[in-house]
Amino acid sequence: MDDAIPQHLVSQIIEGRCVAFVGAGFAAPAVPAWKMLLRGLGQRAQLDDATAAWLTSLVDNGGSRDLEAAAQILHTAMGDGFDPALAEVLAEDGHPEAIAERRQLLAGIPFDAIMTTNFDPFLVGDVPGPDAYQRILRDPPHRWWEPRYWSDDAPGAPVVKLHGEVGPVGDSVVFTQRDYRERLYSSPAYMTFLRSLFATNTILFLGVSFTDAYLNELRSEVLAMIDQRDEDPPVAYAVLPDVAEHQARYLHSHEGLGAISFDTAGGTDWGGFDRVLRAIHDATNPRAQIGAALDGRTVLWVDSSPEDTAYGRRVLADAAADSGGRSRMVQVGSATEAAAWLRDHDADLVIADWAVGCDGLPVAETLLRTMRAADARAIVVVLAQEPVTPEDRHRALALGATEVAHGWGELFRELARVYAPL
């Protein structure tokens, strides 16, 4: 049985205080295994017989130190040709379709940022440097209701590829122990950046095995700095396989780490990782939240131009369908038609335009006044194509609207507030 998603983690994500740290396990179904990757590189390297035999013996032996040594031999022998060759192996032997759903779920979770040590091209992002650091640390935080998390081609949170990326992206891939040392100790800004993130955000580790010494040391620094105690909420969470209750208790008490465990049935079933990722997505993604909230509800759209609301109607209907339910979308062109429809039907939600109607008043204002006179009851959200003045907003709220939303993002934020308080 997969563990429930902690409410504290959900809250931290929605509040824009959570950063995802994505490791090799996330991309494991798509990336060639370590030995296969090294053999593919060896086939592209021009090695003398002695070096080729040395490489083969290291890879066949398969110990972690042997594989690290094989990586260093290849990196040294291939020089500038190493990164292009690595990109070729990933392109030929990789299977990005195997993690297509994972990538989509990751993009739909409103993290403030995503860090990854993976250098494959399956997550699009920036490499370490001043531009990336400024974007993550200094730009305004991303609000969870923004379209970047729920549109059809949602890019999700900004990604920093801590160990570089194969291909012409202006950064060398961190592949060997020497690369690790250079990244850690030749670039002080790199560790300062990570310390800042770890100290000021809740971290969610996805596909991370915690074998990197510098990562564990960094976590220890943060725990000591804030004096983490047993009763404090975790400073980080991790999706991990087969964590027993006593192990989870230790991780919380002494490592400040909340374990979200999934059962692998003795190492034979890793689908639990995807189920946990889906659960986190569904608990935080605005589209999923609104879709569940609108299941079985009728929404009345009041706008003289059906084309202006077509996108919103489709998003809300699709959101309900994606959540396993259905909603009814009704479109009318004026306040008069809306009032007549409401006399004979019930609406769970009315979304009314603020554009001026034929009577010289905003359509939503006329409708709200008519509904008040007729004692018609429904939740009304005003949708304005342009920003409204504070006076107009106050007038709409005084007449009974729950909010005046400018643009789709604010509309969906208000619907989530009304129907699915988070």
Side-chain angles (χ1 to χ4, degrees):
M1 177 73 68
D2 297 338
D3 284 357
I5 308 304
Q7 184 57 44
H8 175 255
L9 173 61
V10 172
S11 299
Q12 290 288 287
I13 293 173
I14 291 170
E15 292 169 10
R17 297 179 56 83
C18 186
V19 171
F21 196 105
V22 177
F26 184 91
V31 176
W34 191 236
K35 285 188 176 182
M36 184 183 300
L37 192 62
L38 291 171
R39 290 192 176 107
L41 288 168
Q43 293 170 3
R44 290 163 172 78
Q46 296 181 354
L47 305 175
D48 58 61
D49 292 343
T51 304
W54 184 20
L55 178 69
T56 299
S57 64
L58 288 169
V59 174
D60 289 346
N61 191 57
S64 60
R65 291 187 177 276
D66 294 320
L67 296 180
E68 290 173 1
Q72 187 64 67
I73 291 169
L74 286 166
H75 193 280
T76 301
M78 301 177 75
D80 293 340
F82 180 84
D83 280 11
L86 183 58
E88 287 181 9
V89 175
L90 289 172
E92 293 177 9
D93 299 332
H95 299 280
E97 72 283 354
I99 60 168
E101 184 177 11
R102 284 186 184 180
R103 289 188 293 167
Q104 185 177 25
L105 292 173
L106 186 70
I109 300 172
F111 295 115
D112 190 52
I114 298 171
M115 304 293 111
T116 181
T117 52
N118 299 344
F119 48 70
D120 59 70
F122 306 143
L123 287 181
V124 178
D126 299 324
V127 297
D131 290 343
Y133 300 157
Q134 179 168 319
R135 182 182 183 192
I136 301 301
L137 296 177
R138 304 292 294 176
D139 282 1
H142 298 284
R143 299 168 297 181
W144 68 270
W145 63 83
E146 290 182 2
R148 67 182 301 113
Y149 302 114
W150 52 254
S151 61
D152 291 336
D153 55 349
V159 177
V160 177
K161 309 198 76 168
L162 298 172
H163 290 176
E165 180 178 328
V166 295
V169 294
D171 189 52
S172 297
V173 169
V174 175
F175 194 77
T176 68
Q177 284 299 317
R178 179 178 294 177
D179 295 333
Y180 278 102
R181 289 195 297 270
E182 291 180 356
R183 179 56 54 92
L184 292 176
Y185 303 118
S186 297
S187 178
Y190 176 78
M191 288 301 290
T192 301
F193 168 67
L194 289 181
R195 286 189 184 94
S196 299
L197 278 184
F198 277 54
T200 58
N201 295 275
T202 296
I203 309 297
L204 174 62
F205 293 99
L206 298 168
V208 176
S209 60
F210 298 101
T211 57
D212 286 339
Y214 86 88
L215 182 60
N216 292 330
E217 181 65 21
L218 184 60
R219 292 181 53 252
S220 296
E221 284 186 30
V222 172
L223 290 174
M225 178 172 58
I226 64 176
D227 189 22
Q228 179 77 4
R229 303 180 185 185
D230 286 0
E231 64 272 17
D232 295 335
V235 298
Y237 291 87
V239 180
L240 297 170
D242 304 318
V243 178
E245 183 178 349
H246 67 277
Q247 294 170 322
R249 182 178 177 181
Y250 171 83
L251 290 173
H252 186 179
S253 297
H254 298 282
E255 298 292 329
L257 185 69
I260 305 172
S261 178
F262 61 93
D263 184 359
T264 67
T268 63
D269 179 12
W270 294 85
F273 179 88
D274 298 278
R275 290 192 294 273
V276 172
L277 191 64
R278 165 69 69 179
I280 296 172
H281 172 278
D282 290 352
T284 59
N285 176 264
R287 178 173 173 140
Q289 291 289 294
I290 294 170
L294 291 181
D295 181 20
R297 299 187 187 275
T298 297
V299 182
L300 176 64
W301 295 78
V302 188
D303 196 300
S304 60
S305 176
E307 294 79 11
D308 289 347
T309 61
Y311 175 77
R313 296 199 308 274
R314 178 176 61 81
V315 168
L316 294 187
D318 289 350
D322 290 346
S323 298
R326 59 182 301 174
S327 59
R328 181 187 181 194
M329 300 288 157
V330 179
Q331 170 76 43
V332 297
S334 68
T336 301
E337 292 177 76
W341 192 91
L342 288 170
R343 282 195 294 269
D344 300 322
H345 307 85
D346 292 325
D348 298 289
L349 171 67
V350 178
I351 301 174
D353 188 19
W354 192 251
V356 174
C358 58
D359 59 357
L361 294 175
V363 171
E365 181 176 351
T366 300
L367 176 60
L368 287 165
R369 293 184 182 279
T370 304
M371 290 176 64
R372 171 172 287 190
D375 196 26
R377 306 295 179 89
I379 295 173
V380 179
V381 180
V382 176
L383 179 60
Q385 299 301 322
E386 300 293 336
V388 301
T389 65
E391 293 75 17
D392 284 345
R393 179 177 181 276
H394 178 75
R395 190 164 74 254
L397 297 181
L399 288 169
T402 68
E403 186 55 277
V404 178
H406 173 223
W408 299 117
E410 291 189 6
L411 172 64
F412 298 151
R413 175 191 61 175
E414 176 62 9
L415 298 190
R417 186 190 71 80
V418 170
Y419 284 115
L422 298 175

